[in-house]
Structure formats: structure tokens, C-alpha cells
């Protein structure tokens, strides 16, 4: 595997903050971005020693601007400037200098002159034992393509002059980079990697504000990296990402995110075909284990004494039965068909504290997570308790891997620890693992409670987790790579208090679905909205029945405005019975090419969480994102009434 | 003056929040953005009554999309949809519907068909007494220019069909809009106004995220508005601004900002020549009063008991004399030449609490401020105290207008209340106003303290005020319009904890200079930076002398890293004596076409404020923005040492 590097400019804080974070995340080497060094109170020698003490090397000093194509007088000043920087690099112990193509308005368009000047600069560098890596900026005045930069390097023909290839500069301009594989690998002196979302905007602004780590954007980083490595390039793969959010975020977290991206990229390079596309993760690794469903969701009850009873009332009304009590912790197990919800009153915040994923091989899933730098959580092992492997998601949510069902039905279903919950709930009986064999359910003592009448709820449909503003891109990459999920549907919509971005991710078979959301801008003082709202969506095969059960139990549902239904009628020509049913249920509606979707919501409980009950009819594949603005306004209205009667 | 309107989509919160804010800011009318209505729990009748109760009217319901050019089957659905929306508008009491040009992929390119369909839609609307205003979206599938939309309206030739002209859609595509003046004004049914910064990006994204209120961006809003009014258009001028920040900000503040923009726009339209450019404010109004300098800056001492003594020590070392004590408040007056600093120990936060501007006519300046909706502050009038007119800036800073000097030297200098401060300080003696005539200095009892030896400080050079994230665009417009200042230099740079934007504004003669700054993204938890830092920059005509006085007094100055000087030497070929002087002083350096700039900084005092001492040599006009990143890192380093010794 190639050495991994990161430019100091990717991270936030003082130079020392950035270096410490890079080392802690396990990078091999760093690029020193000049502005970060200039702002440091430490001398170059002190910085050199600090970096060595961290076990890092300096692979690049950058950038040196406006070098080639200079008129004679400016070129004399350029030589003088280069001498000063070479002396600095001697003190710093940096062996390679990045020169990026000139943007100066007075740049002379003359390839021979530019090559001559680059040769002269390289000769000067060679006197210090320093190499120059020449890079074409995508917005270079005259040299802006990798082919052109290679042409100059070839013309200059000096052993101390080679290429720097930056994935953003190449891929923002062209998809034609296959020729890089044919370059002599030892003339590529440095490779910088950055991804970016596909944006139609000025390329300089795109580069300065919107770069992302590999596999977080829309550029073909796997293809680019594979091509570069095919040339024989053996230097580091180094990240150079200018991103407004990362510049403000905890550098230790960002550095781990960065290194995860390189590991996932390496996996993608290793396991995909040269001609194929490059999914995050890698097919071989994915084959080790598969996620087959959501085993349970654990709701923290929080410190508000009202929340626990509210949740219990709600679950009972929904047809869940409190089937088990944890042997050692204040955790209740509630079940209905394959939907299992834990209520943990030992957690101080009411939130989706944890969730567990069914895996065909939990140990392999955990190894994969560790390989991708997921933070391990202390295991919940106690004497007679199941050993559940757990990791922390970027927002702190705990994720468990478990195997409730026997893998691939190869192990016959053994004794079950709960009685069937009624005619409509046979799934639990057959999918429960043998006792003592990954039997996390064994941690729960049966309560013997009489099963509640089922209401049609069949499973957990998906989880919706608002992400901390700083961690959205990290979370998306985390879920895709660590869990091997794929990006599904993305949306941006106007909530009452600002724009929101949402991304759904899922496994290929749609058995594990998670939606992530984040405000487009970090929320400020004026935003009387729920902070980091979360919800748990339950699937029902009979929404009227579920709704009726809730109403019978006196559980309030979120009131959807009449204006919503009037607009629905204006937009769509629904069959009259369906139209009537939607209004009568107080449901929201969406449709796609496959089918339609009916949604009910509870009010927000405990300040942050609510439940959604959905019915997918005819294979609808979405998440009802189109209804989110109205739903959020309705939640706002509900909270206004709850807190200050009008 | 035209009626002023605002679209609900400009503001944040529930529909009620938005309507209340629009009414409170004094708008005449609102556009109801459909999504805001759909999300409201109130019925159309309730919304109508609420709006009427606020004294507002509804001038537009919008948008109705994908109408013209539809294939037959879709057009049938469009008619059905229009009927539903017309019924809604009947209930709402809205008389004009916006139809924006179709973006549907199946739109048929056929002007006759489109005109026929628009005529049919208009006929349907006419049956409800409703008018249709047809608008060309800049990204419309087929119709995307105002000329083309007018062509369709003309072809359709229906009295209930007219044009909607939106400044963004027009100006984002073309500077050729003079022909609008020749349209029949009564066929323009509606005019929407939005400004925007000049950005090179996809126009839809530009429009959705980056619109601004008039005069906050780079489009020719004054020219556009003048042209529209020249057609005879007599309807409202209505704001339709999609802005990520405004969507999150307190709607009451945003609504005032919005209405201020329309007032300033009206002034600009009234006072500029049709062929000329359109500066904010308006020449006639500007002539009423001129700002001629910064009379004083008032520093809040804050609650930390160390801060007062630190500031007093610093001012003494800088050669200031504590010349006066306020008659009734815990406020000290410190003076040196024309630089006057008040230390107010009655203020709980150490900050630039207030500043006063010299005006040739303070009353006229106050009238202008009131005209532009600046929030008046309770006057500081007490029995024998001067009547200082004061307003609040968007960040709460108090701004006073005063006249220390006689206007235009027409009133001879009368008795002065302080002795000359030495040979180098004659200005105060001649510029002080007569007692009892705008004599704010009379509020201060002379202390009789022996004047400190002067150190070269001559004046307050400028003020630097970090702005709350939500209020940056408002602040820039406020200072330009309310104070009649002009935009000067803008910058964006990478501070240790994120990108920062800076804008300098000034009067034409560079006697009042203020720089505003804001992070590119709202700061989060990881940002151990000073929150809303401020500084006061003093001009000296002899920086070595001032620096020497500070060092003699043992006052610490901010330590500038050696790497900064090495880089300066690499970049610039300075005269050896100057080069030596800069290093010896520990100063920072900048140069422009006019001269150069030397800067010294104090550490941060009291958590938020610091002083800068600068010398402008040879007419340098900038603010040293290029040095801000290193200076900010140095302040970070200083605070690290101050708080946790390493």
C-alpha cells in the first residue's frame, strides 16, 4: 500500500494542531502548506524536529507560484525568491517543492521559454538536493492541463524536475487521463488527491471551497489513482483538500475521516476492474459479510421523567409488547414482528442512542470497520451476556453488529425464547438465532407479558439521523464504506428555519436504510427548531389498522395542515378512495414510478425524537423527502402548542 | 414612492413569523410563496384575515410552474391544477398569480402553442377576477429572457395576462434591459427585485442560494428599477430573495434590512442620472451632511477587573492623557492629538461599545439614519450634557453623530477646554467646538492631569468590527447607506480556524474608515478563536517612536513569527534600512502602488479587543489585510501562552 500523506491546509487550527492530528490519525507524511508555516511561531528547525518526533516525514513544501513564463526582470526576482525558499527547505528538511503553473497576467506564452526557466529553477534546486514537482493548475494562465505540464517537464529534461499530478486539477478539466498510465512513473514526483461534488461553477472557487476527500464527491478518484499507480509511481498518495467546513472542524476528527477515505480508496483501487466503475469499499471486502437488516434500534429515554412513560404508551398503542428486560441494565426490549426497539433509561439524552445491524458475519463486519478506522466502543460483555461488537458513528451513535438469524438458513432454527406474538408475527420465531450462539436476545429475561394485539407493524423501515454540521461528509463516507452501503436518493429542501440537505443510503437489497440530514449552514441563534432531530420509521402492511390502533389508544398523531391536502389534490389525480383514505388518516403521500407511500408521524417526544409509520405500496422506493418541509412545519406547530398555548 | 412588498420566502420561520416581521418593518404588501402557505396550519381564510389584521395586502401568489408549452395531456392536468389554485386564491383574497416559464423536459418549442395556452389560462383566471403575471425564468426550458416572455404575452393578447419582471432573472442574463422602458407599463403586472453578488456559476444555484436585497450585490438594481418605472409601471416593488443566511436569521431583523434596501434603492433611483451609475444612498441626500472623521471610540471595560488597569496602562504608554472624567457616568476621556478614546467601566463587556462620527450637520445625519430605519438609541441627555444623536448598528454598536469642530471653519475657534498637548498636538486646540454648541466634550470635567509625553499618535485610523454571521450583508448595507460610506477593499483569507471575509468601507476622503469581517461559515464548537474580535487602529506619524514608548513602558506587543520576516524577504526587495527597521520593530509590512504600511499590534485585552498602531507612508491606501492570517495566528499563540503556559 502506498504511503499516505495529507497537506496541512486540509485541517483546522495552528500548524501544531494540524501536525498532531495527522500523526494521531496514522498518516505517514505531510505536505507543509507555506501559509501554515509562515504563521507558526516555531522556526523551521523546530518544526522539523516536531514532525520527526511525531513519526512523520515532510514529503512536500508548497506552493511556489508564478515561476515559469516570467518576463526577465520578474524571473530574476523569482530566482531570488526560490533561493530563499530552498534555504528554508534545507532548514525544514523538505526534499520536494511544488511549483504550480503561473497565473500572473504578464506570463509569456512560450513553451521553450517556460521549459528553459523550469530547467534553471530545477538546476538551482538540485544544488540543494531538492526536487521540483511541477503542477498544472486547472486555471493556470497558459499551462492548465496535465499534458501541457508533462510537455514542459519533458522539454526541460532535468533530473530534478518532475510532475505533480493533482486529481482535482486533472478531473475538473477532463475525463481523459488514461495517458497518465503511460508516463514514466519515476518522473511523477508527487500525487495529490482531492474529490469534489460535481458543481457547475468557476473552477477556482470550486477548488478553494468545495474540495472533499476521496470518495466523498463525484470525481473518479479510483480511476485516477489506479491510472497513476499504473505508471509505476511509487510515492505517497497525499490529500490536498480545501474545504470551508473542514477548515473549521476539529482536526483530529477530520484527519481520521481523511485517512479513512484513503483506505477506502485503496480498497476500491485494489478490487475494481480498470475499466469498471469504482464503488466505495470494494467487492472482495464486501463479500466477507453482508448486512441483512436492522436487528434493533435503541432509544435513550433521557432524564425527563415524562419521556419513558410516553414512549411506553406509544409502543403499546403501536402493538409492541414489552417482551424482555435486560439482565443487568435498565433496558427494556419491545417487539412486534421483526421490529425490535430497546428503551434504555440509563441514557441521559432521549435519542436514537444505538442501533444493531444483522450481519451474516458480525466478526468480519467488525474487522472491516476497524480496517476503516471506525472507533471501537467498549464491549457490553458481562458474564452471561452476548458479545456484541460495537463501533461509534461520527455523531456518537453506537452501532452493533449481530446475528439474530442463522446465516443463510444453514443452521436450522432451534428453540426460541419468546412465544409467537400472534398470527401476524411468525418472523421472529423462525429468525431467532440458537441460544448461546450470537444470541443477544439471551441478555433479556422474558417478561411473560401478554402480547399486545398486533397492528400491522412488520419491521423497522429506516432510521433518520440528523448529523452534526461538521460531520456530514464524514458520516456519508462512514456509512458507505464502514457498513458497505450505497448512496441512494439525495434532496435539498427549505425547512421553516433554513435549507436542509438529506441523503439516503442503503444496502443493495434495501434491508438497511438510513437517511442523514444536515442544515446547509450551521444553525444560529434564531432557529427555534429541534437540534439534531432523529426519527425511527416503522413499516406497516396496513396503515389504516395501525392508525386506528393509535387513535383508539388516544395517542396523538402529528396534525397535517389542510392546505397540504388541497395542494395534493391540485397536483395529483388520485383514485377517490385513496384520496379519501389519505385525508381520513391524516397521512402524507408520495409516489414514484414503482408505487406509493403513506406516512404518519408522532409528535416529537423528549425534545428530539419521533416515530414515523409508513406503508410502502407497490414497491415505492423513496423516503417521502418531498413532504419533509410540511412535516417539519407541523412539528414546529406542535411544539409551539405544547410549550406555549396560543 | 412605490408600494413596497416582500415575498414570504425571503424570511425565516413559520408563515406567521414571516408575515408579522414584514408588517413590523413597514412593508405595504406581501407575496405568498406557495410552500409557505402549504406548510401553515391556518386555512386560507385565516391567513387572509391575519394579513388584513396586520395592515398588509397580498399582491401575488406564486409560483405556478410548468404551464406553457405543455403536451395536451399534461396541459389538461395544468388546467385542473390552475382551477384548484384559483379557488385557493379566491379564499385567500389574492388577485395576481405568478406563472414562471416552464422547465419541464417535455416542453414543446412552439411560441404559438405557448401563447395559446397562456391565453387559455388567463381566460380561466379572468373568470375569478384574477390576473396572471408571466415571468421568464433565467433557466426556463424554452422561454428564458424578458423579451421572449413579452413576445408571448403580446401574442396571447389577453387582458388578464401581463408580465412579471424579476431583476435577477433579467440581470443574471443580460445588461440589455433598456427596452423595458418602452413596454406599456400597464402590461407589467408585477416587479420583483433581487440583487446578487457577481458569481460565475450555474444560474439556478446562484439564484437559489445567493440572492441579496437591492444594493447588497453587484447587479444594477437602480438602473433596472428606473427603467421599469419609466415604462409607467405603478405596482409594488417587491423583494424576492432566496438566501441561505436570511432563511436562518431572525425575520424581524431581516425584514428591516430588506426595507432599508428598498428605501436606499428608491433614493438611488431618485437622485442618479438615467445614464449614470447608481451609488447607494443618493447624491442629493448625501450633500445634506458630510462625515469628516472619527470623533471618539468608546471601549467598554467589561466586568473583568484586570481589563481597566490594562487599558489605562496601555493608553498611558501610548502617550494618551486621561484628560476628562464624565460628569455623571463612569467614563474616562483619554486624548492625544485628535485621537480620543473613552473608557466606559459601566459596560459589562469589553468591546468597542460605541463610536462617534464628526458630522458637518449631526441633525441631518440623524434624519438620514432615521429615514433609513436605523434603530434610534435613547439619548444620553442629562441636564448639562450634550445632546448626542445615537443609533444602533446591526451588531448593537452605538454610533453617535457630533460636531467637535466648527463646520467648514465658518465659526471661529472659541475658548478651548484643554491645554495643548505639546508641539505635535495643535489639532485639538483649533478643532474643538465652542462651549455649549454641540460641545460633547463639555460633558467631561477636566482632570488637570499632566499631559503624557506624546509618542506620535495622531488620530484614529480606522475601526475593525467583526460582525455576527447573520448580519454581515445587513451591516455592509447599513454602513454604506445610513452613513453614506462607500465600499473600498474586500478580501477573503484563511485564518487558523477557517476562512474569513473582510470588507473595508470609508468616506470619499478616507477620514472615516471601518472594516467589517465575518467567517465564511458560522463558527462551531471547534474554533478556540476570539468570538467577534474588534480592534481600534491608531495612526502614528512615527512608528519607531511609538513602539519605543511602548517598550519603555514595558507594554507587550504581539510577537510576529520569524518565518513571516523570512517570507517578506523572499517576496520583496526592501531597502536594507527599512528591512532592518521592520524586523527590529516587530512590525508587519504591506505596500501598494501609493506607499507602504507598518503595523504593530497589542495582545488581545479583555477577551475580544486589541489595539493596532499603524504608519501610512507615502499614501498607502489599504488595511494590511494580507497580514491578517499571520496576525490572527500570533494572537492565537499569545492567548495560548496567556492561558496555559507551555
Amino acid at each position: 500500500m502506498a504511503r499516505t500523506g495529507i497537506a496541512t491546509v486540509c485541517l483546522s487550527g495552528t500548524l501544531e494542531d494540524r501536525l498532531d492530528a495527522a500523526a494521531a490519525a496514522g498518516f505517514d507524511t505531510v505536505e507543509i502548506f507555506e501559509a501554515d508555516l509562515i504563521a507558526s511561531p516555531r522556526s523551521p528547525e523546530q518544526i522539523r524536529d516536531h514532525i520527526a518526533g511525531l513519526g512523520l516525514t515532510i514529503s512536500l513544501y508548497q506552493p511556489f507560484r508564478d515561476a515559469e513564463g516570467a518576463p526577465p526582470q520578474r524571473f530574476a526576482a523569482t530566482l531570488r525568491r526560490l533561493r530563499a525558499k530552498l534555504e528554508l527547505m534545507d532548514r525544514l528538511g523538505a526534499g520536494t517543492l511544488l511549483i504550480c503553473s503561473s497565473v500572473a497576467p504578464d506570463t509569456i506564452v512560450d513553451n521553450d521559454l517556460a521549459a528553459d526557466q523550469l530547467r534553471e529553477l530545477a538546476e538551482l534546486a538540485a544544488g540543494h538536493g531538492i526536487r521540483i514537482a511541477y503542477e498544472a493548475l486547472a486555471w493556470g494562465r497558459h499551462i492548465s492541463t496535465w499534458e501541457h505540464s508533462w510537455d514542459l517537464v519533458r522539454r526541460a529534461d532535468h533530473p530534478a524536475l518532475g510532475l505533480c499530478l493533482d486529481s482535482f486539477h486533472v478531473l475538473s478539466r477532463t475525463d481523459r487521463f488514461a495517458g497518465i498510465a503511460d508516463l514514466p512513473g519515476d518522473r511523477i514526483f508527487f500525487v495529490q488527491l482531492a474529490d469534489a461534488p460535481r458543481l457547475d461553477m468557476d473552477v477556482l472557487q470550486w477548488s478553494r471551497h468545495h474540495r472533499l476527500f476521496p470518495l466523498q464527491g463525484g470525481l473518479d478518484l479510483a480511476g485516477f489513482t489506479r491510472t497513476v499507480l499504473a505508471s509505476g509511481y511509487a510515492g505517497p498518495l497525499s490529500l490536498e483538500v480545501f474545504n470551508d467546513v473542514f477548515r473549521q472542524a476539529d482536526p483530529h476528527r477530520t484527519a481520521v475521516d481523511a485517512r479513512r477515505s484513503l483506505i477506502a480508496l485503496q480498497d476500491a483501487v485494489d478490487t475494481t476492474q480498470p475499466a469498471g466503475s469504482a464503488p466505495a469499499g470494494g467487492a472482495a471486502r464486501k463479500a466477507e459479510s453482508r448486512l441483512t437488516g436492522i436487528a434493533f434500534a435503541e432509544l435513550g429515554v433521557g432524564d425527563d421523567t415524562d419521556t419513558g412513560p410516553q414512549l411506553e404508551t406509544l409502543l403499546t398503542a403501536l402493538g409492541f409488547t414489552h417482551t424482555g428486560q435486560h439482565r443487568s441494565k435498565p433496558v427494556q426490549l419491545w417487539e412486534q414482528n421483526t421490529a425490535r426497539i430497546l428503551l434504555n433509561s440509563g441514557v441521559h439524552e432521549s435519542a436514537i442512542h444505538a442501533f444493531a445491524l444483522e450481519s451474516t458475519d458480525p466478526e468480519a463486519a467488525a474487522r472491516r470497520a476497524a480496517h476503516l478506522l471506525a472507533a471501537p466502543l467498549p464491549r457490553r460483555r458481562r458474564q452471561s451476556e452476548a458479545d456484541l461488537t460495537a463501533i461509534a458513528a461520527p455523531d456518537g451513535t453506537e452501532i452493533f453488529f449481530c446475528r439474530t438469524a442463522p446465516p443463510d438458513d444453514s443452521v436450522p432454527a432451534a428453540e426460541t425464547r419468546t412465544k409467537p406474538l400472534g398470527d401476524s408475527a411468525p418472523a421472529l420465531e423462525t429468525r431467532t438465532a440458537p441460544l448461546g450462539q450470537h444470541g443477544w436476545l439471551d441478555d433479556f429475561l422474558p417478561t411473560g407479558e401478554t402480547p399486545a394485539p398486533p397492528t400491522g407493524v412488520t419491521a423497522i423501515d429506516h432510521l433518520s439521523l440528523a448529523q452534526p454540521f461538521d460531520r456530514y461528509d464524514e458520516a456519508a463516507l462512514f456509512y458507505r464504506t464502514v457498513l458497505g452501503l450505497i448512496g441512494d436518493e439525495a434532496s435539498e429542501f427549505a425547512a421553516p428555519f433554513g435549507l436542509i440537505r438529506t441523503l439516503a443510503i442503503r444496502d443493495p437489497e434495501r434491508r438497511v436504510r438510513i437517511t442523514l440530514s444536515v442544515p446547509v449552514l450551521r444553525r444560529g441563534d434564531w432557529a427555534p427548531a429541534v437540534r439534531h432531530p432523529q426519527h425511527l420509521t416503522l413499516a406497516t402492511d396496513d396503515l389504516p389498522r395501525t392508525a386506528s390502533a393509535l387513535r383508539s389508544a388516544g395517542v396523538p398523531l402529528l396534525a397535517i395542515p389542510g392546505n397540504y391536502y388541497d395542494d395534493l389534490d391540485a397536483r395529483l389525480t388520485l383514485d377517490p378512495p385513496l384520496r379519501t383514505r389519505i385525508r381520513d388518516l391524516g397521512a402524507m403521500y408520495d409516489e414514484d414510478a414503482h408505487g406509493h407511500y403513506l406516512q404518519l408521524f408522532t409528535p416529537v417526544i423528549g425534545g428530539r425524537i419521533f416515530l414515523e409509520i409508513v406503508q410502502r405500496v407497490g414497491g415505492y422506493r423513496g423516503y417521502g423527502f418531498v413532504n419533509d418541509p410540511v412535516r417539519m412545519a407541523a412539528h414546529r406547530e406542535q411544539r409551539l402548542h405544547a410549550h406555549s398555548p396560543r
Side-chain angles (χ1 to χ4, degrees), chain A:
Chain A
M1 186 162 166
R3 280 179 297 143
T4 58
I6 187 167
T8 53
V9 77
C10 301
L11 301 167
S12 184
T14 62
L15 181 59
E16 290 73 23
D17 290 334
R18 301 172 194 219
L19 294 170
D20 295 352
F27 280 94
D28 303 305
T29 184
V30 293
E31 304 174 33
I32 299 291
F33 196 72
E34 180 164 276
D36 297 328
L37 176 124
I38 291 172
S40 171
R42 302 198 189 194
S43 69
E45 292 82 1
Q46 287 172 319
I47 293 169
R48 180 195 64 207
D49 293 347
H50 184 75
I51 288 173
L54 290 170
L56 293 168
T57 64
I58 301 176
S59 50
L60 192 75
Y61 184 82
Q62 66 127 322
F64 189 89
R65 300 184 194 277
D66 293 328
E68 93 288 349
Q73 196 178 350
R74 186 158 69 71
F75 190 67
T78 301
L79 286 170
R80 193 180 149 282
R81 177 161 56 98
L82 182 64
R83 275 186 209 103
K85 295 303 178 187
L86 293 170
E87 284 165 22
L88 166 67
M89 290 176 67
D90 288 342
R91 297 170 65 193
L92 194 58
T96 305
L97 173 69
L98 172 77
I99 293 186
C100 52
S101 60
S102 181
V103 299
D106 63 357
T107 303
I108 297 166
V109 179
D110 180 338
N111 288 328
D112 289 327
L113 173 73
D116 287 349
Q117 290 180 337
L118 285 173
R119 189 184 312 113
E120 190 169 347
L121 296 168
E123 180 63 22
L124 196 56
H128 291 254
I130 287 173
R131 307 197 308 172
I132 287 175
Y134 178 66
E135 170 186 70
L137 294 177
W139 54 89
R141 187 81 179 177
H142 177 47
I143 287 83
S144 59
T145 65
W146 69 267
E147 292 96 332
H148 202 163
S149 60
W150 168 242
D151 178 56
L152 290 193
V153 166
R154 208 180 38 72
R155 284 174 195 242
D157 192 25
H158 192 287
L161 181 70
L163 270 191
C164 174
L165 293 173
D166 177 304
S167 62
F168 181 86
H169 290 300
V170 174
L171 301 175
S172 64
R173 301 231 3 161
T174 183
D175 291 328
R176 299 174 62 172
F177 55 80
I180 289 174
D182 301 324
L183 299 179
D186 59 358
R187 302 308 301 283
I188 303 175
F189 283 4
F190 208 75
V191 171
Q192 294 177 316
L193 297 178
D195 203 342
R198 291 259 174 212
L199 298 173
D200 176 12
M201 65 186 298
D202 173 69
V203 68
L204 174 58
Q205 295 301 318
W206 185 22
S207 172
R208 277 201 186 153
H209 297 282
H210 301 286
R211 286 189 180 205
L212 291 168
F213 294 122
L215 308 184
Q216 291 182 338
L219 307 183
D220 181 10
L221 266 286
F224 177 83
T225 305
R226 195 181 308 112
T227 306
V228 165
L229 294 176
S231 75
Y233 171 74
L237 296 177
S238 187
L239 300 166
E240 194 200 21
V241 168
F242 308 96
N243 179 287
D244 291 356
V245 176
F246 301 162
R247 284 182 187 275
Q248 283 196 352
D250 179 344
H252 282 263
R253 297 295 303 263
T254 308
V256 170
D257 180 32
R259 225 177 61 88
R260 177 179 302 128
S261 80
L262 279 181
I263 295 168
L265 177 66
Q266 187 81 52
D267 292 347
V269 168
D270 289 348
T271 58
T272 52
Q273 297 305 312
S277 64
R285 199 167 292 279
K286 270 186 197 164
E288 290 175 7
S289 65
R290 283 180 299 119
L291 299 177
T292 59
I294 297 174
F296 66 78
E298 179 177 323
L299 303 182
V301 171
D303 292 334
D304 182 345
T305 50
D306 291 344
T307 308
Q310 273 182 286
L311 286 169
E312 291 177 26
T313 302
L314 174 60
L315 291 179
T316 302
L318 273 168
F320 280 76
T321 304
H322 175 197
T323 54
Q325 188 68 34
H326 197 276
R327 291 174 186 273
S328 61
K329 295 178 193 148
V331 180
Q332 300 177 352
L333 169 64
W334 292 72
E335 296 184 274
Q336 180 175 189
N337 276 321
T338 65
R340 296 187 195 89
I341 296 174
L342 308 190
L343 296 187
N344 187 339
S345 57
V347 172
H348 292 298
E349 195 198 15
S350 52
I352 298 181
H353 175 68
F355 59 88
L357 299 173
E358 294 282 354
S359 169
T360 54
D361 185 345
E363 289 303 323
R367 280 196 305 276
R368 175 191 176 84
H371 165 70
L372 284 155
L373 308 182
L377 286 172
R379 300 201 171 189
R380 297 199 163 187
R381 189 161 213 167
R382 297 273 173 84
Q383 269 191 310
S384 61
E385 293 173 19
D387 178 8
L388 289 178
T389 312
I391 56 172
D395 68 350
T397 304
E398 299 181 5
I399 302 174
F400 296 88
F401 299 109
C402 64
R403 191 172 55 173
T404 308
D408 298 327
D409 300 324
S410 59
V411 179
E415 56 179 312
T416 56
R417 40 157 291 296
T418 57
K419 288 179 288 185
L421 289 171
D423 289 347
S424 62
L428 183 66
E429 190 175 11
T430 55
R431 290 185 67 246
T432 302
L435 271 175
Q437 184 181 338
H438 307 286
W440 67 271
L441 286 168
D442 289 346
D443 292 352
F444 291 86
L445 297 168
T447 62
E449 283 189 16
T450 308
T455 70
V457 170
T458 55
I460 294 175
D461 188 87
H462 65 277
L463 302 168
S464 297
L465 308 173
Q467 296 298 304
F469 181 76
D470 285 348
R471 309 258 61 97
Y472 186 65
D473 288 304
E474 176 188 349
L477 183 68
F478 175 92
Y479 283 108
R480 287 192 293 117
T481 59
V482 172
L483 302 187
L485 302 178
I486 55 180
D488 192 356
E489 188 183 341
S491 173
E492 184 178 290
F493 59 83
F497 302 105
L499 297 180
I500 303 281
R501 287 198 183 112
T502 300
L503 172 70
I505 49 178
R506 60 171 173 83
D507 74 302
E509 283 83 30
R510 295 187 165 79
R511 293 186 291 194
V512 176
R513 285 182 283 220
I514 301 171
T515 76
L516 309 175
S517 64
V518 76
V520 164
L521 290 178
R522 194 195 306 276
R523 283 276 164 79
D525 295 334
W526 167 260
V530 171
R531 185 176 156 85
H532 299 152
Q534 295 181 323
H535 70 277
L536 175 65
T537 299
L538 300 170
T540 178
D541 56 16
D542 189 348
L543 197 75
R545 181 180 171 202
T546 315
S548 165
L550 288 168
R551 289 187 210 277
S552 301
V555 169
L557 286 173
L558 186 67
I560 304 304
N563 299 329
Y564 170 80
Y565 296 105
D566 291 346
D567 181 62
L568 201 60
D569 289 344
R571 284 191 289 121
L572 304 171
T573 315
L574 298 174
D575 285 340
L578 178 59
R579 180 176 175 274
T580 305
R581 193 183 323 143
I582 294 168
R583 277 204 192 236
D584 290 350
L585 289 170
M588 302 189 90
Y589 176 86
D590 191 25
E591 59 183 32
D592 65 10
H594 307 281
H596 69 256
Y597 194 54
L598 299 171
Q599 304 168 274
L600 286 179
F601 303 92
T602 73
V604 173
I605 298 170
R608 182 175 171 195
I609 45 177
F610 62 91
L611 265 58
E612 178 183 10
I613 304 103
V614 301
Q615 183 170 8
R616 293 176 185 269
V617 179
Y620 172 86
R621 293 184 176 178
Y623 303 83
F625 287 159
V626 69
N627 291 322
D628 276 349
V630 175
R631 194 266 303 157
M632 291 176 77
H635 270 133
R636 165 77 180 137
E637 186 70 17
Q638 168 243 322
R639 291 184 306 117
L640 271 179
H641 280 290
H643 297 307
S644 61
R646 301 163 66 151

